[in-house]
Amino acid sequence: MSRFFLFLALSLLILALLLFFPIVIESDTHCDLNRKKFGFAVFLFKRIKIIGGYIATYNGGIALHVSEKKAILIPYSQMNSERKRFSFIKTFRLIAFNLTTETGAEYLLPVALAHTALRAYFFTIGGDKDKIENNLWLTDGDTLRVSLNFVIFFNLYILLKNFIKFLKEKIKILWRKRKKKSTV
């Protein structure tokens, strides 16, 4: 009998650990808008590379190059349907944010306003002033380069909770449609 309680307690402890253990994801991106280059890398716990490469456009869509021989093609027509899927964005909590922008005088005012808006948004969602860094570099000529590093975390409990909310909303929509069909 005591062995059963030991296995039950151990199972509950492992389940709680899996549900509430924070999963940390860090992303580094660099975008040079004049040369139309966008590079990125996504890491799990700052060590394990999940995905990385660069994004380029082609006739009819966007190509996500993840290696020298492999690219993921996303046609423009599919982008709207991809957006309507379950959104994982709501499950992430932003921990740190580092933005560096190098620009000429031509883009200075809009970029400065964007920096201010991002900083205000970060503080609105409860960010710490030590965890955000905005750098705005003024250079000579027509350049616009943006480098971004951010750290987010989530756990399986938050992900599961938001997925259940998503399913609940989908069931409500389907139930309303079915009810509407039966009354017509």
Side-chain angles (χ1 to χ4, degrees), residues 60-128:
I62 294 176
L64 181 72
H65 297 271
V66 292
S67 72
E68 287 188 27
K69 295 183 179 183
K70 184 176 179 184
I72 301 168
L73 302 177
I74 304 170
Y76 291 131
S77 60
Q78 273 188 356
M79 284 189 188
N80 195 27
S81 64
E82 292 290 327
R83 182 182 57 84
K84 292 180 182 177
R85 286 187 183 179
F86 173 64
S87 176
F88 287 103
I89 302 297
K90 297 174 189 171
T91 62
F92 298 137
R93 304 290 187 254
L94 189 61
I95 297 174
F97 186 79
N98 184 348
L99 177 67
T100 302
T101 306
E102 182 180 351
T103 183
E106 188 174 325
Y107 305 112
L108 182 62
L109 183 61
V111 168
L113 290 174
H115 273 254
T116 304
L118 285 172
R119 192 172 194 87
Y121 175 72
F122 183 75
F123 291 136
T124 302
I125 62 172
D128 185 18

Side-chain angles (χ1 to χ4, degrees), residues 46-63:
K46 294 186 180 186
R47 301 270 188 248
I48 304 166
K49 184 176 179 181
I50 298 172
I51 192 169
Y54 67 95
I55 296 175
T57 59
Y58 70 94
N59 291 339
I62 294 176

Side-chain angles (χ1 to χ4, degrees), residues 169-183:
E169 291 298 319
K170 285 294 184 183
I171 289 170
K172 279 183 184 178
I173 291 169
L174 289 173
W175 183 73
R176 287 179 188 152
K177 283 182 181 178
R178 185 169 288 208
K179 187 176 178 183
K180 198 177 203 180
K181 278 185 178 180
S182 67
T183 58

Side-chain angles (χ1 to χ4, degrees), residues 10 22 26 29 52 100 120 145 159 178:
L10 194 58
E26 182 173 351
T29 60
T100 302
R145 294 183 191 112
L159 189 66
R178 185 169 288 208

Side-chain angles (χ1 to χ4, degrees), residues 23-28 41-51 149 151:
I23 300 169
V24 179
I25 296 177
E26 182 173 351
S27 176
D28 293 314
V42 179
F43 297 96
L44 184 67
F45 298 112
K46 294 186 180 186
R47 301 270 188 248
I48 304 166
K49 184 176 179 181
I50 298 172
I51 192 169
N149 173 278
V151 181

